[in-house]
Amino acid sequence: MSTLAIVLSLALLMYLAYRGVTVLLLAPVLAALAVVLSGEMGHLLPAYTETFMSALGGYVVSYFPVFLLGALFGQLMADSGAATAIAQWIERRLGPRHAIVTLVLACAVLTYGGVSLFVVAFAIYPIGRSLFRSADIPKRLLAPAIALGSFTFTMTAMPGTPSIQNAIPIPYYGTTTFSAPGLGLIASALIATIGIAWLRSRQARARALGEGYGQHEDDAEAAELAAASSDTPNAPPPMPLLLAWLPLVLVIGVNALFTYFVFPAMDLSALDQRFDGLVARQRTGLWALIIALVTACAALLVLRLGRWAHLQQTVNKGVLGSMLPIFNTASEVGYGAVIASLAGFVVIRDAVLNISSNPLVSEAVAMNVLAGITGSSSGGLSIALQTLGDDYLRMADAAGISPDLLHRVAVMSAGVFDTLPHCGAIITLLSICKLTHRQAYLNIAAVTIVGPLLALSVVIALGTWLGSF
């Protein structure tokens, strides 16, 4: 009965999230439903105050700086004109003839540099719309191109990417954001190549059928906004290209510097003695990412000193923009903690752990299932690692598998079925692009599910055969 209660609760979570109900409400209510249906009515209030809220609070304590700094950096990049300068430079270099590659590359550069994928979607959409109209490519392929560049390889596979997904396994496995860099680069190349090839084949098919960009309701609105912005007085001057690139280089460069050189050369034993329960070497990956984001934000502020139109508004918008994502994800983590405390979860856990003698395969299945159910890569990853992370680390140690390989497989697995139709990021992207699921989702699924799944299979095979590299 408890297992059935969990399945019913998860099904309702997926359905209601797809219908647009906020997870801030869904998570505690459906966790309570699972507790009641499991026959543990007497444990309802302790399950909420002690289990749900403790897990939620623990997640916020661990990852709030990454969410906060990431959202702030993304807003600074957008409002300073740096994001637009980089995207327009890529557009000029490649031109409308390579509109799909241009859009994917622009999104990839910005997200790998630390700009929030939601900020990228908002910033890139007007450029992509102009490119696709010039190249006469169907608008329905615009959202899949943005999704490929923002929601896939730069989020989960590229070594050193400052995404929250790449930071979540650090405290569980004692790894860094640069874990298994060689495998990550191979996976990134595969995902990008497969996705671009698919989109170009859809473009060619549409052209053969006589389908072009088409007429859309937001075309007139875009023309009015462009005319209005060109007449705006006292607009800040565009950011020089070299200065626009600098913050992105700092995010990756400073992260690598502290990960590979500064922290390894330091004696951190005094910190372990000073702070109870701290194992400093397991936290250095997170510390390196925080330092990199702070450095990049500070650089942006200095580079545009005296030229910010509304700096306070930009900072406030960036900081406040981090609140909903972190509490959405933390609520899902709290939900997962309650589910994991139920007797029925033992059945599910044992089934997942025993699905294969290879810990990498078992881990991939667990991450995919939970990311798909929650519609969130970070949420599914957090729930899976909180409940099964210790088991996978123990299994990997017994099998001689590196924690770095576990890290990369976990993050990549969470980025496959997270983009099912109820995914909040997909719903937001379609809203930005003024498209419907019917128009664009099948192509989104092709580039965000099929390609990443094939790349994940290759990484598991190579990792099993050659180990982490």
Side-chain angles (χ1 to χ4, degrees):
M1 186 62 188
S2 181
T3 303
L4 183 60
I6 291 172
V7 172
L8 177 61
S9 174
L10 290 173
L12 283 172
L13 176 65
M14 185 164 58
Y15 172 75
L16 292 174
Y18 175 76
R19 301 294 295 179
V21 180
T22 173
V23 74
L24 291 175
L25 178 62
L26 283 179
V29 169
L30 292 180
L33 177 65
V35 171
V36 171
L37 293 181
S38 295
E40 300 185 28
M41 180 70 178
H43 299 164
L44 181 58
L45 289 177
Y48 177 70
T49 60
E50 307 307 310
T51 305
F52 183 94
M53 290 306 299
S54 293
L56 182 151
Y59 184 87
V60 172
V61 167
S62 294
Y63 298 110
F64 180 69
V66 177
F67 275 89
L68 175 66
L69 293 169
L72 176 59
F73 176 65
Q75 198 63 50
L76 290 170
M77 284 288 293
D79 290 358
S80 67
T84 302
I86 292 170
Q88 290 178 342
W89 176 78
I90 295 173
E91 177 187 356
R92 289 194 300 271
R93 301 292 290 185
L94 297 180
R97 180 185 172 192
H98 302 289
I100 289 175
V101 176
T102 297
L103 199 62
V104 172
L105 184 57
C107 292
V109 166
L110 293 173
T111 49
Y112 186 56
V115 182
S116 162
L117 58 90
F118 294 106
V119 173
V120 169
F122 277 108
I124 289 295
Y125 170 63
I127 298 170
R129 179 175 55 195
S130 174
L131 268 175
F132 274 46
R133 188 188 297 115
S134 299
D136 202 28
I137 299 172
K139 189 185 179 186
R140 60 186 175 82
L141 296 179
L142 180 55
I146 294 175
L148 175 61
S150 304
F151 299 179
T152 58
F153 58 98
T154 56
M155 186 178 79
T156 63
M158 283 291 288
T161 181
S163 69
I164 186 62
Q165 291 80 2
N166 200 30
I168 288 172
I170 290 173
Y172 295 97
Y173 294 155
T175 48
T176 73
T177 56
F178 288 90
S179 294
L183 289 170
L185 289 173
I186 291 172
S188 298
L190 283 172
I191 294 170
T193 301
I194 292 170
I196 290 172
W198 173 265
L199 292 176
R200 292 187 70 133
S201 72
R202 298 303 89 194
Q203 175 191 356
R205 178 173 174 78
R207 183 161 294 166
L209 295 174
E211 180 187 1
Y213 181 81
Q215 298 295 322
H216 302 276
E217 62 181 21
D218 62 333
D219 290 344
E221 176 188 347
E224 291 175 6
L225 288 175
S229 63
S230 64
D231 296 333
T232 300
N234 302 321
M239 195 167 191
L241 184 61
L242 288 178
L243 296 184
W245 278 104
L246 180 59
L248 302 185
V249 173
L250 283 174
V251 170
I252 304 302
V254 172
N255 190 2
L257 177 66
F258 277 84
T259 296
Y260 287 116
F261 300 103
V262 176
F263 284 134
M266 295 173 63
D267 181 6
L268 303 176
S269 57
L271 294 178
D272 294 341
Q273 297 171 7
R274 171 67 177 80
F275 296 93
D276 292 338
L278 174 67
V279 180
R281 290 295 173 193
Q282 295 181 356
R283 290 287 182 173
T284 54
L286 196 59
W287 294 346
L289 180 55
I290 291 171
I291 293 170
L293 287 171
V294 168
T295 303
C297 287
L300 268 171
L301 290 172
V302 172
L303 289 172
R304 300 297 282 176
L305 201 60
R307 297 185 178 183
W308 290 98
H310 303 286
L311 179 57
Q312 181 178 344
Q313 182 179 340
T314 294
V315 171
N316 289 345
K317 188 175 181 181
V319 170
L320 293 175
S322 70
M323 298 300 155
L324 185 59
I326 191 172
F327 277 100
N328 275 339
T329 306
S331 295
E332 291 169 345
V333 172
Y335 171 84
V338 173
I339 295 299
S341 70
L342 300 177
F345 185 76
V346 175
V347 177
I348 298 173
R349 183 196 65 194
D350 290 346
V352 171
L353 288 174
N354 296 323
I355 201 167
S356 172
S357 58
N358 186 338
L360 299 177
V361 174
S362 175
E363 181 186 50
V365 171
M367 304 299 166
N368 271 298
V369 168
L370 288 169
I373 288 170
T374 61
S376 167
S377 54
S378 56
L381 186 60
S382 299
I383 293 170
L385 288 175
Q386 185 171 345
T387 55
L388 301 172
D390 290 341
D391 293 312
Y392 286 127
L393 197 57
R394 173 181 48 78
M395 292 166 63
D397 183 61
I401 293 174
S402 166
D404 287 332
L405 183 53
L406 274 184
H407 177 122
R408 188 55 54 211
V409 169
V411 178
M412 287 187 60
S413 300
V416 177
F417 287 107
D418 62 316
T419 51
L420 291 176
H422 63 288
C423 169
I426 295 302
I427 293 171
T428 300
L429 175 62
L430 290 173
S431 175
I432 292 170
C433 296
K434 308 294 192 298
L435 293 168
T436 65
H437 278 77
R438 182 185 297 274
Q439 290 173 308
Y441 182 72
L442 287 180
N443 286 308
I444 290 176
V447 300
T448 64
I449 295 177
V450 178
L453 185 60
L454 291 173
L456 174 63
S457 302
V458 170
V459 167
I460 291 175
L462 289 176
T464 302
W465 180 32
L466 301 173
S468 177
F469 63 89

